[in-house]
Each structure stands twice: as C-alpha cells, then as structure tokens.
Amino acid sequence: MFRTIKRIIDWCGEYKGKLYLGFVCSFFSHFFAAMPVMVAAYTIGKLFLSTQNGVVFARKWIGLSFLCILVLVLFRFLFDYLRSKFQETISYELVAKDRLAIGDALKRVSLGYFQQKSTGRILNSITTGLSTLENMGIRMIDDFVGGYLNFLVIFLCLLCFSPVTALIALAGAVASFCFLLLVSKHSTQNAPVETAAGKNLAESVLEYARGLATVKSFGQSGASLRAIQAACLENRNIRLAIEYGFTPPNCGHLLRLKLATVALAGAACYLGLTGAMEFPVMLMFIFFSFSVFGSLEPVSDSAHVLGVIDTAMDQIDALKGSHW
C-alpha cells in the first residue's frame, strides 16, 4: 500500500509540487467542512445553558454564528476548488503523455513483435491500465494521504481540549487501520488475477473480430462466441470474489470507526455530567464526534483500489520496457 503511494508520487514527476499543494488544500477543505458543525453545536449549547439559568440569550450571537458558518462553508468550497485545480489535471496530463509515447513506440516496432507479445495484454494495458491511472490514481492517493493528514490535525486538537477523547479517537483509527491492511493485502493478491482475466477477455474479443468473416461463412457464429462467453464468466467470477473478500474487512474498518464515534460521544457526556467539561463544549464534542472519522471512512476504497493501481503501473512499466 505504501509502496504504491510512493510509486504514484514518483510517477507525478514534475507535478509533485501541485500534488502536495492539493494535499494542503484537501486538509483545509476537510477542516472547514467540520467547523460549521462545531459552531452550530456550541451555539445550541449556549442557548440551552442560558435558558436553563434564566439568562437572556444574546441574539447577536445567532447572527454571528450564522455568519461564521457561512464563511466556513465558502472557505470549504474555495479550498475544494483549489484542490481540484491543482490535482485533478495531473493524471490526465501524465496519461496523455504515456499514451502518445506508447503509440509512437508501437509505430516503430517490427511486425514480429505482435507475434511474440500478446495483443490482448497490449490492448488491456493501453485501455484498462491507463484508464485506471487516469481516473483513480491521484484521487485515491488524495483520499488516503489527505484523510490521515486531516485526522492527525483533529487528533492534535482533541489532545489539547481533552486527552481522553483524543486517545479514544486514536484507538479507533489504529483499529480500523489494521483492517485496511487486510483490504490492501486482499486487493494486492487479486489484482493480477483480475488483470489476467481482462487480458483473456480482450484476446477473445480480438480473435472473434478477426475471424468474424470466416465464422459467418461456415455458420459457426455460435461456436465462436463460446470463448468470449467463457472470458466474460471468468471476469464476473473474479470480480465477485474480489467484492466478497473486500466486504468483511471493510465492514470491520467501518465498525471500528463507528464504535469509536459512540465512545467519543459517551466520553463527552461523562465529562460533561461530572463537571469536567462545560455544557456547550460537551455538546460541541458530541456533534463533532460524528464527523471526526469522516475523512477516514472512504480510505478503505483507496486501500482497495491502490492494489489495482499497482498492477496497472506494472503493466505500463512492462509495456514501456518492451519498447524503450
């Protein structure tokens, strides 16, 4: 998993600066997404406390909190736009260069090369492999790195306000990460099998297309479709097996985060009832506990896809090595 992240970063080359700026913008986007909830919870807590004590609630605080939430939402969209501007174009530009380089190389190889190398493998690398890098490469690494970077800052903030809640959050993140390792291991083991199935499907389609005229002449179109049907069945079976293997550790990952969320809310209630935490702060922590792990929940998808990306990069490297 970490090896694949490093490979993607190295693949970015001259665009590394934009990638790192995107990580920073991603962190601020997550930060400003969580802050409105905290402001709203704190305001509700102040309102409830003033009502309980018979004190007139300062109405200007409602307008101030509304303005604050509006500004935070605008900042969130701003940093999300900047993240997209810095990162979203990287994979498209890099894959465009790879496609042109591979196409230029294929024009210069001898015809014997296509007899030595599988046409289906070449086609699968150019289409599926490059498309995987183009659509998922930068996005998955941003979800993974940005997610844990955001959690790190949240953990430090919790540590300043309440070390107990910070330790609960850290325990939940560590427990979920153990399941992410299982997700990554499963993906790494099955990605080459999925790639081989895709190669067989591409070869079957090409073989059918090349012999279509002969097959029609002898009325054997049904028999010629058997190879494609078998390849489609193989693809279906391997993809179902991947999903079945992915689901249990993913459920474990999400369950650990949900249990940590409940534990955070329970700890905040306990500290508030014992007087160790003011009521508005307690209410803020309870509301905030449901978004603490918001950046970590999608990481399981990233851990799963990173194995597929690693295999796709192996395909592209092998194809480049054959020509350069």
Side-chain angles (χ1 to χ4, degrees), residues 243-263:
E243 289 299 320
Y244 290 147
F246 166 75
T247 301
N250 182 50
C251 289
H253 156 71
L254 295 176
L255 179 61
R256 294 306 182 276
L257 295 181
K258 298 302 182 183
L259 290 175
T261 296
V262 174

Side-chain angles (χ1 to χ4, degrees), residues 174-245:
V174 171
S176 74
F177 185 76
C178 295
F179 285 93
L180 290 180
L181 293 177
L182 295 177
V183 171
S184 177
K185 181 180 178 182
H186 173 75
S187 178
T188 302
Q189 290 174 345
N190 287 278
V193 182
E194 182 185 9
T195 301
K199 181 204 73 169
N200 292 335
L201 180 60
E203 288 179 343
S204 300
V205 173
L206 287 174
E207 183 179 356
Y208 176 76
R210 288 169 180 167
L212 190 58
T214 304
V215 166
K216 284 186 174 181
S217 299
F218 290 91
Q220 297 294 320
S221 57
S224 63
L225 281 173
R226 290 172 187 168
I228 297 180
Q229 291 171 345
C232 290
L233 182 62
E234 182 186 14
N235 266 269
R236 186 199 69 174
N237 291 337
I238 183 58
R239 292 178 187 277
L240 286 176
I242 289 174
E243 289 299 320
Y244 290 147

